[in-house]
Structures are given as C-alpha cells and as structure tokens.
Amino acid sequence: MKHILSTIFLSIVVGLAAATNNLHTAGRSVQTCGDPDDTLPWYRANAPSQFEYVYSTDPAWISAIIQANGFILQTILGTVFLTQEESTVPCYFLSSSSLADNFITINATERDAAIAGGQYVLRTDFQTYIYPTEICGSIPVYRLYNSAKTSNFFTTSESERLSVISGSGYADLGIAGYVLSVGGAC
Ligand SMILES: *[C@@H]1O[C@H](CO)[C@@H](O)[C@H](O)[C@H]1NC(C)=O
C-alpha cells in the first residue's frame, strides 16, 4: 500500500513537472524574438522617372546606384535581419530589369510564380529576414501596387501609404511583413 501511494505521488510530481515545463516552453515560444542588435537599416531608394523602388541594407550599394543610376535615397523602412533569427522568416527579393520593378515577399508561392512568369529574378544577395506577424515590437510594412506603371511600393509610413493611394494611383495590397522601427523596439 505504501509502495503504491509513493508510486502515485511520484507520478503526480512527474506529471506536474512536465505540465509546468510545457507551460514554460509555450510561454517562451510566444515571446521569442531575434536580437535587435543584429538588425541593419533597410534603405529605400527610388528612380522617379521609372517608378522603380529598391530596398537594401548595403549603404555602399545604395550609394552606387545613386551615383550611377540617378536613384534618390528616400527613407529607412525599419531594420531587418540578414540571417535568420528566432521567429523570423526569409523575405525574398524579386527584381525585374525589363519592368524596372522590384518587390519583396515572404510568400514562397508568390516568389516561385514570379520566377516562373519569366520577368522577375530572385536576388538572394538582397534577401532579409523579417517577422511574419506583429511580434517583438515590430511594425507593418505596407505593400502597394500601381498596375499602370507595374510598380510595387513598400512603406512603413501610414501617411505615405494613404498619400500614394489617393495621389499616385497605387492600390493597397495589404501587409508584406513586419520589421523593427528605426528608433529600436522592445
Ligand atoms: C501566397 O501567394 C499565392 C500566389 O500569389 C497566393 O495564392 C496565396 O494566397 C499567398 N498566401 C498567403 C498566405 O498570402
């Protein structure tokens, strides 16, 4: 009898420990974030005559297209990871020289469709990692598209989002992903 009781007691303790452990694991996975110190500013530059926008974390590359191709540095969308960290996903960069258009997507199906369509190429050298949901103090990257100009446009500014919709013929395509704000999050 004593032996049975102690066995029952032991199994309750083991069960509780497992349950507590599960709670901790669940709690941590919700909270798990990349290290903001590992992020870099994500610059947006624009060639106004072509309605072309590019996004890069490489200041030297941005400087080069400003000098050589007449691009203008417009803003920093936020900060992004260059390697995958906790809770982030790859953000693919698709580029079309014939359309003078570039877009980013975390959707691998959309990436593959764009490549299969023949007009866009995947630029892995421009790939970043961002959050797929609004976690870890991240902010939305809005996606807009002007079909007349075949121009994709991304912004983290709500006022800019509204102004290109009302003034520049862009349609709202929703949210592409989530980045950290330049001021630093968390
Ligand atoms: C991913 O892209 C495909 C093709 O554009 C689309 O049909 C699908 O709804 C997208 N998935 C998500 C989760 O947005």
Side-chain angles (χ1 to χ4, degrees):
M1 184 63 183
K2 192 160 176 241
H3 177 70
I4 290 172
L5 278 180
S6 66
T7 304
I8 291 171
F9 177 73
L10 187 65
S11 64
I12 289 172
V13 169
V14 169
L16 273 178
T20 310
N21 197 34
N22 283 344
L23 275 179
H24 283 163
T25 307
R28 202 183 64 217
S29 65
V30 170
Q31 301 275 316
T32 299
C33 300
D35 182 352
D37 288 346
D38 295 340
T39 62
L40 288 175
W42 210 14
Y43 301 99
R44 188 185 72 208
N46 159 239
S49 61
Q50 297 174 295
F51 292 82
E52 181 177 5
Y53 299 87
V54 292
Y55 310 86
S56 173
T57 58
D58 182 351
W61 186 83
I62 291 284
S63 299
I65 58 161
I66 289 171
Q67 308 256 317
N69 299 75
F71 275 70
I72 296 163
L73 178 62
Q74 291 191 303
T75 190
I76 298 173
L77 291 185
T79 72
V80 293
F81 297 93
L82 286 194
T83 54
Q84 189 158 26
E85 295 206 11
E86 288 91 334
S87 306
T88 67
V89 295
C91 179
Y92 307 106
F93 187 100
L94 284 302
S95 180
S96 171
S97 50
S98 57
L99 298 175
D101 185 45
N102 310 284
F103 73 90
I104 54 164
T105 182
I106 61 173
N107 181 337
T109 308
E110 184 185 17
R111 173 200 64 191
D112 292 343
I115 296 167
Q119 289 193 288
Y120 289 86
V121 293
L122 181 67
R123 290 290 303 263
T124 53
D125 48 340
F126 285 77
Q127 185 167 312
T128 61
Y129 296 84
I130 67 177
Y131 292 112
T133 55
E134 195 161 10
I135 55 172
C136 303
S138 58
I139 57 170
V141 178
Y142 300 110
R143 180 176 182 173
L144 301 114
Y145 186 65
N146 182 328
S147 53
K149 306 288 186 191
T150 55
S151 171
N152 279 280
F153 178 73
F154 296 83
T155 181
T156 50
S157 159
E158 175 67 14
S159 60
E160 190 174 51
R161 181 180 84 87
L162 295 174
S163 89
V164 299
I165 292 171
S166 63
S168 306
Y170 283 79
D172 190 351
L173 295 191
I175 293 170
Y178 298 82
V179 299
L180 297 183
S181 64
V182 180
C186 303

